[in-house]
Amino acid sequence: MGGKQRDEDDEAYGKPVKYDPSFRGPIKNRSCTDVICCVLFLLFILGYIVVGIVAWLYGDPRQVLYPRNSTGAYCGMGENKDKPYLLYFNIFSCILSSNIISVAENGLQCPTPQVCVSSCPEDPWTVGKNEFSQTVGEVFYTKNRNFCLPGVPWNMTVITSLQQELCPSFLLPSAPALGRCFPWTNVTPPALPGITNDTTIQQGISGLIDSLNARDISVKIFEDFAQSCALGVALVLSLLFILLLRLVAGPLVLVLILGVLGVLAYGIYYCWEEYRVLRDKGASISQLGFTTNLSAYQSVQETWLAALIVLAVLEAILLLMLIFLRQRIRIAIALLKEASKAVGQMMSTMFYPLVTFVLLLICIAYWAMTALYLATSGQPQYVLWASNISSPGCEKVPINTSCNPTAHLVNSSCPGLMCVFQGYSSKGLIQRSVFNLQIYGVLGLFWTLNWVLALGQCVLAGAFASFYWAFHKPQDIPTFPLISAFIRTLRYHTGSLAFGALILTLVQIARVILEYIDHKLRGVQNPVARCIMCCFKCCLWCLEKFIKFLNRNAYIMIAIYGKNFCVSAKNAFMLLMRNIVRVVVLDKVTDLLLFFGKLLVVGGVGVLSFFFFSGRIPGLGKDFKSPHLNYYWLPIMTSILGAYVIASGFFSVFGMCVDTLFLCFLEDLERNNGSLDRPYYMSKSLLKILGKKNEAPPDNKKRKK
């Protein structure tokens, strides 16, 4: 009965792979797969290129990269070539008249006169009452305060220029950022209407942008980067950890498992001590009652008792897994060693993530430039605006009507009337289709990114599969396995990769839409709607994780057998389900070990970078002395981020190697039986763990055909 039930279970997840005497690893005689999806993907890419061309023809990124003054002219270009910075007459109008987000969306335009200047003000200054009757030339021009609008007469009185907002009534010490003069956050503002204290500057300017000179910082950052070498340390540490996996994988896994057991044991002890103290004090949840203050539950004994029970259950489960699944863990360790050997035989695979990184960078850069050009495809629109439309002379002024910023409103009877930037025009076919084109670009971004990642997984799988199915290693390993796998994948399986990437893209787009809806409904106090939204987000997250797992194994099958995506995904899923216990144990052991490796590399680089760049390592020689840096925190953060990227790239290759060898190992067990005609391809360590052996002698010529 037991054997019959086992056979029925095997049938439910497909039949085991049959022995094929002609199978020698990744097949060479294959044909193109998922041709329809390949054609659709190429047509989509062609359309994506067309969108980029249209955006380039109609867009003008200067509207974002360069600031405009009140006349609509660019600062730092043309007649204002020597005046690269933009000065706001009253920057507080950016804060008092509208919210920060709307100001940023309008290109940091504010309802106040703006003028291009050669340098930002360095000293505070306010027009005095005794200067109202003097001329603009005496107060501004002769004192090197060239901050008035172009064309203001020399002999105009100061009071007239202030009433018509042709010259600023005050100046604040400023620093340029993104081409605009922003006041220092620690400056004391003058006594002006609507400004009560110095917190206005801090709140407003920090909301717009930090008061730092972006162009000067870029030079300093480059100098800091040029003197940083921590990324090389991350590279060395990653290689050293992989070398340790090859030499002492067993002890590493043992230390990791004992560490987890030790942490859980300490957690149990700590919870018991807290529970015992609170129990003696009589602190119970019945006395506390229900409260939304979660920190209050730390002072009741039931909280620590529940934590104690949970940790004890986890400790017991882990111990039982170690007892009953010790054989599976030994297989996982042996596969880790085998993966290290495979990577050592094909060191070029360790640097393939650089190819993936470059392709991802191209995809992101193309999308960003296309989106920027599309966003600036319309002509800027200007409208009339006044700070107080109820002032005398403003009743008949057509507020919010179109105007020409180059035409000065000097003779206007309305004080403070100006022509301000409103937005970009939406007239024309391209401008009306900007939103749809942006959606097309986002879809193109996700699809191309997922396709590039799929390409990397399939190429690495083909290279590592050729290692496993080489009977005599390294003699039977093909020449240039990585290049062969890359050419083979691009030539035959572009459509299959596009198919898998499209499925994942649709799920990710759905998640983005849900996040957007959740953001919009965040203020709605409806617990039912919030619960439903949370359930949807959780389901889509789980679905995305499952599709990534299924795609990863499908790409391995594609790399080996050259079948289409659906058949490969089905075969991989069935193979894994027939060996579900091994899958779970191997996945968790390798995930924990690779996470430990990333943590070791990133943490080590971060600590070394902090002590080195902050000058806290005494006794270093002249050649090893920490360089003088403008912002030492910047290379530290960059080193940590770079170390994470490098470690993720290295360990992603190692993880792909383990997954590929694992699927090959499972098929090896089903295909072969260790006989003279059907010997195993697995390593001797795996054979020893499984209690199996090959009857075929090492010099068996049959496997060299």
Side-chain angles (χ1 to χ4, degrees):
M1 293 296 291
K4 183 178 179 180
Q5 182 66 32
R6 194 179 303 110
D7 292 339
E8 291 178 356
D9 293 340
D10 291 340
E11 290 291 336
Y13 299 115
K15 296 181 180 180
V17 183
K18 295 182 179 180
Y19 171 70
D20 182 6
S22 63
F23 182 71
R24 299 289 186 273
I27 63 174
K28 298 180 180 179
N29 296 326
R30 55 179 72 197
S31 58
C32 296
T33 56
D34 295 304
V35 178
I36 296 178
C37 194
C38 178
V39 174
L40 291 177
F41 181 67
L42 294 178
L43 290 176
F44 182 88
I45 295 298
L46 182 61
Y48 199 19
I49 295 175
V50 172
V51 171
I53 295 175
V54 170
W56 181 73
L57 291 176
Y58 290 91
D60 185 8
R62 294 180 304 171
Q63 300 177 13
V64 176
L65 301 178
Y66 293 92
R68 286 174 179 262
N69 61 12
S70 297
T71 65
Y74 292 111
C75 296
M77 297 182 62
E79 59 182 8
N80 295 320
K81 184 178 181 180
D82 298 330
K83 300 178 180 180
Y85 307 122
L86 183 71
L87 175 69
Y88 300 94
F89 279 13
N90 183 8
I91 195 171
F92 304 105
S93 62
C94 306
I95 307 159
L96 303 176
S97 300
S98 58
N99 60 69
I100 300 301
I101 296 178
S102 63
V103 171
E105 289 179 346
N106 290 330
L108 298 181
Q109 296 286 336
C110 302
T112 183
Q114 301 152 43
V115 61
C116 297
V117 295
S118 58
S119 61
C120 297
E122 297 180 355
D123 302 313
W125 172 81
T126 305
V127 177
K129 293 182 179 180
N130 58 340
E131 296 176 326
F132 286 164
S133 59
Q134 299 181 18
T135 63
V136 171
E138 295 173 344
V139 175
F140 288 94
Y141 296 151
T142 58
K143 301 294 181 61
N144 291 326
R145 301 189 186 106
N146 299 317
F147 302 121
C148 295
L149 294 177
V152 178
W154 181 286
N155 57 357
M156 177 181 286
T157 60
V158 172
I159 186 65
T160 303
S161 68
L162 297 181
Q163 290 175 348
Q164 298 182 3
E165 296 192 358
L166 300 178
C167 294
S169 59
F170 66 93
L171 297 174
L172 297 175
S174 306
L178 297 178
R180 295 163 175 85
C181 295
F182 289 103
W184 301 344
T185 55
N186 57 353
V187 69
T188 302
L192 297 172
I195 303 174
T196 57
N197 51 49
D198 57 357
T199 60
T200 306
I201 292 183
Q202 296 179 356
Q203 295 173 355
I205 304 308
S206 61
L208 286 171
I209 194 170
D210 294 332
S211 58
L212 298 173
N213 188 339
R215 296 187 181 182
D216 292 343
I217 284 181
S218 61
V219 177
K220 296 178 181 179
I221 287 175
F222 180 79
E223 294 173 353
D224 294 346
F225 282 165
Q227 302 182 71
S228 302
C229 57
L231 299 185
V233 177
L235 182 68
V236 173
L237 286 179
S238 299
L239 292 175
L240 285 177
F241 188 82
I242 292 176
L243 179 62
L244 286 176
L245 282 178
R246 183 173 183 177
L247 299 177
V248 288
L252 275 178
V253 175
L254 181 61
V255 169
L256 178 63
I257 294 175
L258 292 178
V260 174
L261 289 174
V263 170
L264 290 176
Y266 177 77
I268 293 173
Y269 168 77
Y270 183 81
C271 291
W272 166 253
E273 289 295 324
E274 292 291 333
Y275 169 73
R276 184 176 57 82
V277 172
L278 293 174
R279 182 192 59 184
D280 296 339
K281 291 182 178 180
S284 176
I285 195 172
S286 59
Q287 301 174 355
L288 177 65
F290 177 77
T291 178
T292 56
N293 184 12
L294 299 180
S295 60
Y297 289 101
Q298 298 179 2
S299 59
V300 297
Q301 55 180 308
E302 286 81 2
T303 301
W304 297 102
L305 179 60
L308 173 65
I309 295 174
V310 171
L311 292 178
V313 171
L314 291 177
E315 183 90 350
I317 292 175
L318 185 57
L319 287 173
L320 290 175
M321 288 180 62
L322 290 177
I323 295 173
F324 293 102
L325 300 178
R326 59 185 183 278
Q327 192 76 357
R328 313 293 190 203
I329 296 176
R330 292 178 63 193
I331 294 175
I333 295 173
L335 279 174
L336 288 172
K337 292 181 179 179
E338 194 71 7
S340 299
K341 293 179 182 178
V343 172
Q345 292 291 339
M346 295 179 287
M347 287 300 295
S348 58
T349 57
M350 298 300 296
F351 301 96
Y352 183 81
L354 293 177
V355 178
T356 301
F357 177 76
V358 171
L359 294 177
L360 292 176
L361 193 63
I362 292 174
C363 294
I364 295 174
Y366 180 81
W367 168 79
M369 293 302 298
T370 301
L372 176 62
Y373 273 83
L374 284 176
T376 58
S377 59
Q379 292 297 322
Q381 302 294 307
Y382 293 85
V383 295
L384 292 173
W385 180 89
S387 57
N388 188 4
I389 59 176
S390 60
S391 300
C394 296
E395 298 85 357
K396 298 182 180 181
V397 175
I399 302 296
N400 292 330
T401 58
S402 299
C403 60
N404 184 3
T406 59
H408 301 299
L409 305 174
V410 178
N411 297 324
S412 174
S413 59
C414 178
L417 182 66
M418 67 186 70
C419 189
V420 298
F421 174 80
Q422 183 186 40
Y424 299 106
S425 65
S426 59
K427 298 180 181 179
L429 178 62
I430 301 300
Q431 286 71 33
R432 291 195 302 268
S433 304
V434 166
F435 179 77
N436 296 330
L437 294 177
Q438 293 283 24
I439 295 297
Y440 190 95
V442 172
L443 180 60
L445 173 67
F446 278 93
W447 199 358
T448 52
L449 291 180
N450 288 324
W451 184 86
V452 169
L453 294 175
L455 175 66
Q457 292 175 354
C458 195
V459 170
L460 291 174
F464 292 127
S466 65
F467 169 85
Y468 184 92
W469 295 109
F471 192 71
H472 296 92
K473 302 176 179 64
Q475 296 89 343
D476 292 349
I477 299 177
T479 307
F480 306 117
L482 184 65
I483 298 177
S484 300
F486 183 81
I487 297 174
R488 189 167 57 239
T489 302
L490 276 183
R491 179 179 178 183
Y492 295 107
H493 307 303
T494 297
S496 297
L497 302 184
F499 190 12
L502 178 61
I503 296 174
L504 182 59
T505 296
L506 295 178
V507 176
Q508 291 174 338
I509 293 293
R511 286 195 63 194
V512 171
I513 295 174
L514 270 185
E515 290 291 345
Y516 176 79
I517 296 175
D518 181 57
H519 177 73
K520 290 296 183 181
L521 300 179
R522 188 159 296 175
V524 178
Q525 301 298 328
N526 188 338
V528 177
R530 300 281 298 173
C531 180
I532 294 175
M533 182 63 66
C534 184
C535 291
F536 274 121
K537 291 168 63 177
C538 180
C539 291
L540 281 179
W541 181 83
C542 294
L543 180 60
E544 181 182 354
K545 293 297 181 182
F546 174 75
I547 290 177
K548 285 183 177 180
F549 174 78
L550 187 63
N551 284 4
R552 185 182 182 90
N553 292 282
Y555 298 146
I556 296 174
M557 288 297 190
I558 291 172
I560 298 175
Y561 297 103
K563 297 182 179 180
N564 61 48
F565 178 82
C566 293
V567 174
S568 300
K570 176 186 175 183
N571 293 339
F573 181 76
M574 294 301 180
L575 179 62
L576 294 174
M577 290 302 296
R578 292 196 295 268
N579 301 270
I580 187 63
V581 177
R582 286 174 177 152
V583 171
V584 173
V585 175
L586 177 77
D587 185 61
K588 296 308 175 186
V589 170
T590 54
D591 284 350
L592 284 174
L593 194 61
L594 295 180
F595 174 76
F596 177 74
K598 285 184 186 179
L599 191 64
L600 179 65
V601 172
V602 176
V605 170
V607 172
L608 289 176
S609 299
F610 173 76
F611 282 98
F612 179 73
F613 290 117
S614 60
R616 303 192 182 191
I617 303 181
L620 292 177
K622 181 179 180 181
D623 296 334
F624 297 96
K625 188 177 180 180
S626 60
H628 174 72
L629 301 176
N630 301 288
Y631 312 101
Y632 76 86
W633 53 265
L634 185 64
I636 293 175
M637 297 303 298
T638 306
S639 299
I640 294 175
L641 180 61
Y644 177 79
V645 172
I646 292 176
S648 298
F650 274 73
F651 289 114
S652 66
V653 173
F654 192 81
M656 196 67 202
C657 181
V658 172
D659 291 344
T660 303
L661 297 183
F662 180 59
L663 284 183
C664 295
F665 162 73
L666 296 179
E667 284 210 349
D668 194 8
L669 288 176
E670 294 183 353
R671 284 181 178 275
N672 306 304
N673 57 12
S675 63
L676 183 63
D677 295 330
R678 297 168 58 183
Y680 292 113
Y681 284 79
M682 67 185 69
S683 62
K684 293 181 179 180
S685 59
L686 282 170
L687 286 171
K688 184 177 180 181
I689 293 172
L690 296 173
K692 300 178 182 293
K693 62 180 181 178
N694 278 331
E695 297 179 2
D699 58 347
N700 187 2
K701 303 297 183 181
K702 184 176 180 179
R703 291 298 177 184
K704 293 187 178 182
K705 293 181 181 179

